[in-house]
Amino acid sequence: MKRSEAVAEAAISLLAERGMRGLTHRAVDEAAGLPPGSTSNVARTRAALLELTLSRLTELEARVFAGAGADGPPPGADLIELLAGMLTAQLRDRRRTLARYELALEATRRPELRVIYDRAGRRFRDPAVALLAAAGSGDPVRHGRQLVAFAEGVMFDAIAGAGAEPSPEDLRAGIRELLTGMLGRDPGAGGGPSW
């Protein structure tokens, strides 16, 4: 692992464990097991450290969504299973998701981070639009936004809210209901486009 990756990984863990106030260059050095000053050599300012951390987080989360593809799901994919699998993976790694929430809140106060955060968000919204376009949505852009909002709501409720973590069956049922409302048909019942 490159030093910049080690710094970013330590920063992700610190954000999840201690929040934004616990993220300092010195704390990252200690968490990463690096000599004092190492984090400053990689990311001189706090803004640079936040940007590095967000970039690494986006890279890690993009791996979860790689199966969906930017042009729609792979041929033969079950859309409900694909989406439920992605949500399950996100819920399993609470550390990443909590760190992303911390960065999202910080981005509301730092315009330079907002730009990066919004650009990163498009890497997940665009595939959602492609998935719904391939599924036959009459308004894939709007439905893609709603799908992302649904997924964000499920994750927030389970990780930072008062809800319990949903079972895989609950996730599949919720996704089926959402997609049925969007598409006007049960996407798991056949009769729709085959991927």
Side-chain angles (χ1 to χ4, degrees):
M1 181 181 293
K2 295 188 288 191
R3 181 164 287 198
S4 61
E5 291 174 352
V7 165
E9 287 289 338
I12 290 168
S13 294
L14 286 168
L15 284 170
E17 294 166 12
R18 302 179 190 174
M20 195 58 67
R21 295 180 80 188
L23 182 66
T24 65
H25 283 71
R26 180 178 296 176
V28 173
D29 286 341
E30 291 171 5
L34 296 171
S38 296
T39 298
S40 290
N41 289 333
V42 173
R44 175 98 23 229
T45 64
R46 182 169 180 80
L49 179 58
L50 293 173
E51 290 175 22
L52 175 71
T53 305
L54 181 54
S55 294
R56 177 66 176 166
L57 189 57
T58 301
E59 175 189 327
L60 294 171
E61 289 189 330
R63 290 178 190 170
V64 172
F65 296 92
D71 299 321
D78 179 322
L79 186 56
I80 293 170
E81 289 299 323
L82 182 69
L83 294 172
M86 291 176 185
L87 264 174
T88 298
Q90 286 295 101
L91 290 169
R92 226 180 270 137
D93 192 343
R94 300 172 76 85
R95 176 187 75 105
R96 261 194 336 239
T97 305
L98 283 170
R100 184 165 51 82
Y101 292 156
E102 290 286 341
L103 289 165
L105 290 172
E106 188 67 12
T108 66
R109 296 178 285 272
R110 290 179 177 258
E112 70 281 2
L113 190 60
R114 176 90 263 159
V115 170
I116 296 165
Y117 191 87
D118 289 347
R119 188 176 342 128
R122 282 191 296 277
R123 289 182 63 183
F124 304 103
R125 291 180 191 282
D126 292 348
V129 170
L131 281 171
L132 288 161
S137 165
D139 191 347
V141 173
R142 183 171 57 85
H143 288 158
R145 284 194 311 261
Q146 291 172 340
L147 177 61
V148 170
F150 169 83
E152 290 289 350
V154 167
M155 289 186 297
F156 188 88
D157 188 51
I159 293 174
E165 185 169 322
S167 69
E169 295 77 23
D170 287 338
L171 286 175
R172 284 192 290 273
I175 292 166
R176 180 182 304 278
E177 290 163 358
L178 179 71
L179 293 178
T180 297
M182 289 176 177
L183 302 175
R185 61 176 172 75
D186 182 343
S194 61
W195 309 105

